[in-house]
């Protein structure tokens, strides 16, 4: 059959130029595309041979070859797979995007960035043409297994291509690229360099099932170099996630973890998952033993590596895990996703969302198992990643119960051992209905807080929450197992027995005795506070500052302001300890003195001391210091 020349359709020519010049931001991926196509051809041949569809097909040494020629400046990717017939070449290779070409061209022109444009390729299956980014001309020679003759396809990517029948083509497909000159400014590398080829194959195709062999270079006289007579296999073919657990040692898992995470330490946990059915995928995930230093920075690269049929697609696939699991590293290999999917497409893919739900549940289940089976490893995990995991209590309501089940917190129950919410609930005293907590910067500052005095005196356990995220999630979650989460620094606290008539009478008597002082102090302190009242939570300190039950805490106000939100300052409540000598003396002086100028300063000092006790700062630090100095001077 003579050589025939065909023209691409008008829109196909436009598409070809768009794709050659603007689709791929990283030109190296052309080799990934060609190797992936070769791997698919080998898979198809093996499957056909197993079904006896191609009797006599040679499957003895299925492999992929890469050959370069410095002098001719060519790169050839060759496989001995199933190959294509003349009609298949015309249908699959001769036409860009067998169907939907016009739609593809329209979407490509409308793409606003390189990442979005690159993702369109996988939807339309035209990755073969990415070779024109690095080549002036491409030649394909192929022979379908079982046929007696082959086909040659050739094009310069300028609107036409040729087809002809050849008699001496070997089984399989070879693609030869006539390379453009290297241009570092255009990110166009020297693709005849063995080091460049090795780097690209290692990065994108290391786990391809079939051996990828780099043929030795030819010397000037056409003979092979003495030191490079044998082809070099470039890929490991060790897709550990695709092998059974019994076939892989812990050392192999650890080496893979170190390779993908760039962490020299061994992982804390290794998690395997294999899903079968309508959508198949495999996952091999690792929990690091230490939190990276930049875990909480804005530029932290999160996500796991995404493969499709062992072909590397994306290094940091954020769509596969929620942000609060950003520390997890690993590999997910999907069988049914298209190659060249973009991040935008992944975010909308229902299979990806399904995988994320399954992977998240598997990780949380593994952490829960570790709590009981390996408490030491769990303690390490929570110390390193507990803060970031608690972010999920805000962002992932579907898994909130699972997150609460694996969370642990410092508590007044024990100095060194954290407790779970379930453990707290089991130790609650008779008649106690709420789970009490207090937030602060450190355990020491919380334990020394005046808010803790009555709880310590009555032996009531309090959770000590020191992570910034604790200020937020306790309000969002609200309760655990039907028990309300309640701050000891918000609202009124009554820890007395309901039938303690004597205590009720005592509080009523104190209320009458201090009513005038409380009203006067409210007037003196003015807009700084909402109310002055007697406290039932203080046993040692003279005063403390509390928030209303529904108000934001000062720490939470500051957090929102740091994020640029305009949050009005909430008025706080000043509580006085009627049993403290200072408060008793202040009340007595108020009753006896007509000139209360000095008492007003004492009231201001009392309020400032209460603010300091909770870790805040007086409204006017300079004035507060002067008042303290003056009162100390008068006491000498």
């Amino acid at each position: 059959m003579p050589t025939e020349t065909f023209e691409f359709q008008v829109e196909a020519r436009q598409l070809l130029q768009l794709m050659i010049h603007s689709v791929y931001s990283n030109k190296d991926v052309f080799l990934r595309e060609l190797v992936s196509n070769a791997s698919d051809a080998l898979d198809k041949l093996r499957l056909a041979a197993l079904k006896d569809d191609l009797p006599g097909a040679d499957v003895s040494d299925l492999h992929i070859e890469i050959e370069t020629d410095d002098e001719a400046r060519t790169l050839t990717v060759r496989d001995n797979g199933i190959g294509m017939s003349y009609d298949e070449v015309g249908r699959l290779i001769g036409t860009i995007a067998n169907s939907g070409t016009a739609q593809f061209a329209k979407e490509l022109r409308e793409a606003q960035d390189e990442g979005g444009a690159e993702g369109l390729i996988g939807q339309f299956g035209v990755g073969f043409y990415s070779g024109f980014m690095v080549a002036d001309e491409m030649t394909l020679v192929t022979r379908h297994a079982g046929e007696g003759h082959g086909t040659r396809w050739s094009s310069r990517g300028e609107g036409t291509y040729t087809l002809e029948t050849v008699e001496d083509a070997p089984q399989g497909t070879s693609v030869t690229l006539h390379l453009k000159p290297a241009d570092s400014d255009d990110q166009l590398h020297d693709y005849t360099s063995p080091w460049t080829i090795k780097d690209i194959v290692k990065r994108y195709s290391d786990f391809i099932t079939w051996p990828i062999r780099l043929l030795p270079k030819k010397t000037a006289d056409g003979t092979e170099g003495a030191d490079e007579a044998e082809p070099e296999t470039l890929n490991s073919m060790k897709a550990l996630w695709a092998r059974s657990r019994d076939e892989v040692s812990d050392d192999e898992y650890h080496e893979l973890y170190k390779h993908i995470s760039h962490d020299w330490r061994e992982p804390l946990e290794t998690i395997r998952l294999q899903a079968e059915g309508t959508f198949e995928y495999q996952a091999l995930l690792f929990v690091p033993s230490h939190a990276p230093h930049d875990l909480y920075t804005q530029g932290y690269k999160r996500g796991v590596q995404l493969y499709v049929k062992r072909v590397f697609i994306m290094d940091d696939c954020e769509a596969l895990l929620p942000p609060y699991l950003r520390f997890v590293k690993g590999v997910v290999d999907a069988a049914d996703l298209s190659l060249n999917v973009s991040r935008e497409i992944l975010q909308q893919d229902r299979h990806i969302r399904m995988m994320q739900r399954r992977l998240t549940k598997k990780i949380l289940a593994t952490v829960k198992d570790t709590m009981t089976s390996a408490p030491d490893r769990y303690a390490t995990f929570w110390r390193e990643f507990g803060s970031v995991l608690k972010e999920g209590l805000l962002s992932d309501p579907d898994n909130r119960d699972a997150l609460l089940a694996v969370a642990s917190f410092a508590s007044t129950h024990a100095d060194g051992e954290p407790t779970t919410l379930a453990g707290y609930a089991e130790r609650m005293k008779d008649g106690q209905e709420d789970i009490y907590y207090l937030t602060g910067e450190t355990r020491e500052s919380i334990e020394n807080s005046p808010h803790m005095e009555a709880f310590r005196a009555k032996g009531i356990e309090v959770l000590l929450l020191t992570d910034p995220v604790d200020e937020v999630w306790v309000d969002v979650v609200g309760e655990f197992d039907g028990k309300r989460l309640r701050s000891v620094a918000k609202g009124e606290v009554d820890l007395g027995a309901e039938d303690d008539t004597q205590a009720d009478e005592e509080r009523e008597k104190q209320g009458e005795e201090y009513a005038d002082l409380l009203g006067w102090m409210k007037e003196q302190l003015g807009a700084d506070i909402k109310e002055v009242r007697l406290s039932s939570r203080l046993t040692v300190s003279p005063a403390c500052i509390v928030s209303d039950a529904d108000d934001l805490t000062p720490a939470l106000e500051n957090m929102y302001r740091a994020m640029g939100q305009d949050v009005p300052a909430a008025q706080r409540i000043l509580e006085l300890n009627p049993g403290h000598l200072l408060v008793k003396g202040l009340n007595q002086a108020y009753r006896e003195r007509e000139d209360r100028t000095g008492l007003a300063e004492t009231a201001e000092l009392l309020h400032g001391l209460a603010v300091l006790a909770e870790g805040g700062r007086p409204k006017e630090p300079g004035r507060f210091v002067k008042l303290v100095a003056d009162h100390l001077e008068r006491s000498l």
Side-chain angles (χ1 to χ4, degrees), residues 82-93:
I82 196 166
M84 289 178 283
S85 66
Y86 186 93
D87 291 339
E88 286 174 330
V89 172
R91 186 173 72 252
L92 300 176
I93 301 298

Side-chain angles (χ1 to χ4, degrees), residues 257 267-271 285-289 327-328 363 381 385:
Y257 165 73
L268 187 67
E269 293 288 344
T270 301
I271 304 171
L285 306 177
F286 301 96
V287 177
S289 56
F327 54 86
V328 175
I363 293 170
F381 167 82
F385 304 109

